[in-house]
């Protein structure tokens, strides 16, 4: 089942960090710049490798979008899929939708029994630290396979442009 | 990828989904489909019962039929 390695205080189990919490994936470089279209378009995707989670844990997702131009609205959504594609992707959250030039948001999900639960996807908010009358939403998150977390933007006017400037996935087990 | 319609839902990527709410068209080529396993984004790159569509509204009607 692999080799456990202790390197200067770090600890890897089967090649995956066992430090708690730990960064699964991070990008502080601009993703794909989205312009010339009003379709929902991937700007950045980050991979949660298979077996990052075993039975249960917490997945924290953080991102920032910036927009250039003020002709239309900006919508930023987060999805999960088994590939880095929006086709067939499952919506995890809507960070913002409005006449914004800056959208930065965070979500904390529970991973349990091959499912992921969090604040209802109908909540268009930057933070899920809320007290609501809606039950959490739930969808499949098979931990034994690769899962892609997709950060997508949608422009209200194709002449504007938007980009995911940074995104981060953190694991708590 | 192909979508196969089933009673009150569809099969996509070897998984069955049942409708739970109204389908929302979010762009000229994409829609959000509320299902028993979350909201799924489907688009015109998919065929429905092996038929291609170029109009998202016709695509939605075919999905529901």
């Amino acid at each position: 089942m692999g080799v456990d390695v202790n390197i200067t205080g770090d600890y890897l189990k089967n090649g995956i960090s066992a430090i708690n919490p730990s960064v699964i994936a991070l990008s502080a470089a601009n993703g794909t710049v989205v312009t010339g279209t009003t379709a929902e378009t991937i700007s950045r995707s980050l991979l949660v490798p298979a077996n990052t989670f075993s039975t249960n844990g917490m997945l924290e997702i953080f991102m920032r979008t910036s927009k250039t131009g003020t002709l239309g609205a900006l919508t930023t959504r987060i999805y999960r899929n088994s590939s880095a594609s929006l086709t067939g992707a499952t919506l995890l959250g809507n960070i913002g939708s409005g006449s914004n030039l800056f959208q930065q948001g965070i979500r904390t999900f529970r991973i349990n029994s091959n499912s992921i639960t969090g604040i209802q996807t109908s909540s268009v908010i930057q933070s899920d630290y809320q007290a609501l009358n809606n039950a959490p939403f739930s969808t499949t998150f098979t931990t034994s396979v690769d899962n892609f977390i997709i950060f997508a933007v949608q422009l209200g006017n194709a002449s504007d442009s938007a980009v995911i400037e940074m995104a981060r996935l953190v694991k708590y087990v | 990828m192909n979508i196969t319609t089933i009673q009150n839902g569809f099969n996509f990527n070897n998984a069955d989904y049942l409708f739970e709410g109204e389908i929302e068209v979010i762009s000229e080529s994409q829609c959000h489909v509320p299902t028993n396993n979350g909201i799924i984004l489907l688009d015109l790159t998919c065929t429905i019962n092996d038929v291609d569509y170029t109009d998202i509204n016709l695509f939605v009607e075919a999905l529901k039929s």
Side-chain angles (χ1 to χ4, degrees):
Chain A
M1 284 289 290
V3 177
D4 296 342
V5 179
N6 191 304
I7 303 174
T8 60
D10 196 352
Y11 186 77
L12 297 177
K13 186 174 182 64
N14 296 326
I16 296 175
S17 174
I19 295 175
N20 188 20
S22 62
V23 175
I24 301 169
L26 176 152
S27 174
N30 282 350
T32 301
V33 175
V34 177
T35 191
T37 179
T38 56
E40 177 126 81
T41 307
I42 297 175
S43 181
R44 168 69 69 196
S45 63
L46 295 177
L47 172 65
V48 180
N51 301 312
T52 295
F53 294 93
S54 53
T55 52
N56 53 57
M58 295 163 61
L59 171 63
E60 179 187 276
I61 301 175
F62 165 87
M63 49 61 59
R64 174 192 293 176
T65 310
S66 69
K67 179 162 78 75
T68 301
T70 56
L71 296 174
L74 167 67
T75 300
T76 301
R77 299 185 181 98
I78 305 172
Y79 293 85
R80 182 219 70 82
N81 205 351
S82 55
S83 65
S85 168
L86 278 174
T87 306
T90 305
L91 182 66
L92 294 182
N94 189 328
I95 298 300
S97 184
S99 301
N100 309 130
L101 296 177
F102 175 97
Q103 291 176 350
Q104 181 162 313
I106 191 166
R107 291 285 190 277
T108 303
F109 296 94
R110 181 190 186 202
I111 307 293
N112 177 261
S113 300
N114 287 314
S115 69
I116 182 170
T117 60
I119 194 169
Q120 279 290 338
T121 54
S122 56
S123 294
V124 182
I125 50 175
Q126 291 69 60
S127 167
D128 54 353
Y129 290 89
Q130 305 286 331
L132 303 173
N133 294 328
N134 299 323
F137 93 98
S138 177
T139 187
T140 301
F141 190 96
T142 305
T143 56
S144 61
V145 302
D146 286 346
N147 284 277
F148 287 84
I149 304 300
I150 297 168
F151 302 87
V153 299
Q154 184 173 20
L155 297 169
N157 188 302
S159 295
D160 290 337
S161 66
V163 66
I164 296 290
E165 289 187 338
M166 55 184 186
R168 181 188 70 213
L169 307 180
V170 175
K171 176 185 77 168
Y172 299 75
V173 292
Chain B
M1 295 186 72
N2 185 58
I3 299 165
T4 302
T5 55
I6 61 175
Q7 187 167 6
N8 198 37
F10 58 94
N11 179 282
F12 177 80
N13 201 20
N14 297 314
D16 283 345
Y17 296 89
L18 300 177
F19 296 127
E20 284 193 357
E22 289 299 313
I23 299 173
E24 178 190 8
V25 172
I26 65 166
S27 77
E28 290 186 351
S29 62
Q30 301 161 315
C31 61
H32 276 168
V33 185
T35 76
N36 59 323
N37 198 21
I39 295 176
I40 311 298
L41 187 151
L42 297 176
D43 58 34
L44 295 180
T45 65
C46 302
T47 55
I48 299 176
N49 299 325
D50 295 316
V51 176
D52 274 310
Y53 291 85
T54 57
D55 183 304
I56 191 62
N57 294 302
L58 296 179
F59 178 92
V60 169
E61 289 306 309
L63 187 61
K64 294 190 295 183
S65 64

